[in-house]
Amino acid sequence: VYIWDMDETLILLRSLLNGTYAESFNGSKDVKRGLEIGKKWEDHILQICDDFFFYEQVEECNEPFLDSLRQYDDGKDLSGYDFKQDDFDDLNKRRLAYRHRAAAHKYEKGLRPLIDSETMSVLDELYNVTDEYTDGWLSSARAFLEQQDVHILVTSGALIPSLVKCLLFRLDTFLVYSSIDVGKLQCFKWIKERFPKFRFCAIGDGWEECAAAQAMQWPFVKIDLQPHRFPGITPKTVSYYFAAVY
């Protein structure tokens, strides 16, 4: 099982917006261009969050994963449910569970049923432009995740925007955990419980996932903007980390 820190490992956004990605290339990358690309992603993420994933309603109700409220869900048919008129508040776990089930259904179906073909073309072009600007970072990361292993994504961001990021960055076939309230170590423990007979490797760019991997006695692969970055990470290179621990 590969456990990925999502942001700035699989998905580049913050480093585009603050210029650190371009700056790591010592002048060979256009900082302004990176910021423009990042701002376009940010606008699309916020728009889809609000239009399709109830984010204005649930922004203060972050959960660590989509089915964490399953115990509150009575299985009510939501096909004709009016989410705008049910007097939702952040204390009503059942109505929050409904929103999570609806969000999970949309996430499972993917982006295409939500948006028109013109918007889809805009997003495809933005993905290609970003991949070119980052020297194949996105496509290389995606190719790694297509290997025949289990891949889990852990983010330090809120769950709903992170799911939308996965939709936009073509990572929507993977489970996502949000560590913003519970910490990465707790997420790692939950993942181990979910896959009790597997070996694990954590991959990320930050100290928290590194410390959590050490606490779990798992190998950890650090991704840096320079020099250890996609497309330099492959299943073969990661296998050396597995061999050192297992």
Side-chain angles (χ1 to χ4, degrees):
V1 175
Y2 292 101
I3 301 176
W4 298 84
D5 173 53
M6 191 177 86
D7 298 292
E8 303 307 309
T9 300
L10 296 173
I11 294 174
L12 295 179
L13 183 57
R14 184 179 67 248
S15 61
L16 297 178
L17 288 167
N18 65 20
T20 55
Y21 177 82
E23 289 166 0
S24 71
F25 286 83
N26 300 315
S28 64
K29 293 282 186 183
D30 184 342
V31 176
K32 183 179 178 182
R33 178 63 171 150
L35 192 152
E36 291 171 349
I37 291 171
K39 188 65 172 66
K40 288 179 181 178
W41 280 119
E42 190 175 52
D43 291 344
H44 284 298
I45 291 164
L46 292 173
Q47 187 72 50
I48 291 175
C49 279
D50 289 339
D51 287 352
F52 301 107
F53 286 87
F54 320 108
Y55 193 53
E56 288 184 357
Q57 294 181 327
V58 306
E59 186 173 358
E60 303 301 321
C61 311
N62 190 62
E63 290 290 323
F65 47 93
L66 270 176
D67 57 356
S68 61
L69 295 170
R70 181 177 294 174
Q71 61 181 311
Y72 299 102
D73 192 339
D74 61 3
K76 180 183 177 70
D77 181 4
L78 301 179
S79 56
Y81 190 81
D82 190 343
F83 287 98
K84 295 181 179 179
Q85 301 294 330
D86 68 347
D87 298 322
F88 170 76
D89 64 68
D90 56 8
L91 298 177
N92 194 312
K93 296 293 188 181
R94 176 166 293 173
R95 290 172 183 168
L96 181 57
Y98 290 166
R99 282 157 174 80
H100 272 242
R101 174 151 56 95
H105 181 73
K106 291 175 181 178
Y107 184 69
E108 182 180 342
K109 294 293 183 181
L111 193 59
R112 291 189 182 277
L114 303 179
I115 60 177
D116 57 41
S117 58
E118 182 179 349
T119 304
M120 195 73 224
S121 295
V122 169
L123 291 172
D124 285 342
E125 175 63 19
L126 182 57
Y127 183 95
N128 293 333
V129 165
T130 309
D131 200 42
E132 181 179 359
Y133 179 79
T134 59
D135 303 320
W137 186 299
L138 302 182
S139 57
S140 297
R142 186 69 180 82
F144 194 123
L145 269 65
E146 289 174 347
Q147 303 296 317
Q148 296 299 311
D149 295 292
V150 178
H151 299 278
I152 311 294
L153 281 50
V154 179
T155 175
S156 55
L159 182 64
I160 294 301
S162 297
L163 293 172
V164 172
K165 285 181 186 178
C166 287
L167 286 169
L168 295 182
F169 284 88
R170 305 179 182 178
L171 300 173
D172 52 299
T173 58
F174 304 101
L175 290 172
V176 179
Y177 285 74
S178 169
S179 68
I180 191 171
D181 295 320
V182 299
K184 293 221 166 95
L185 180 57
Q186 178 59 67
C187 290
F188 285 14
K189 290 178 179 178
W190 281 330
I191 294 167
K192 185 177 182 181
E193 290 173 3
R194 190 166 190 156
F195 300 94
K197 296 182 180 180
F198 285 72
R199 300 184 302 169
F200 298 86
C201 180
I203 305 174
D205 72 309
W207 66 268
E208 189 185 2
E209 55 266 24
C210 178
Q214 289 177 343
M216 300 295 289
Q217 298 184 317
W218 296 344
F220 176 75
V221 182
K222 183 171 175 57
I223 303 292
D224 297 313
L225 293 179
Q226 295 286 358
H228 301 296
R229 59 188 183 88
F230 286 113
I233 301 297
T234 66
K236 183 177 180 180
T237 59
V238 172
S239 69
Y240 297 132
Y241 290 83
F242 263 105
V245 173
Y246 294 106

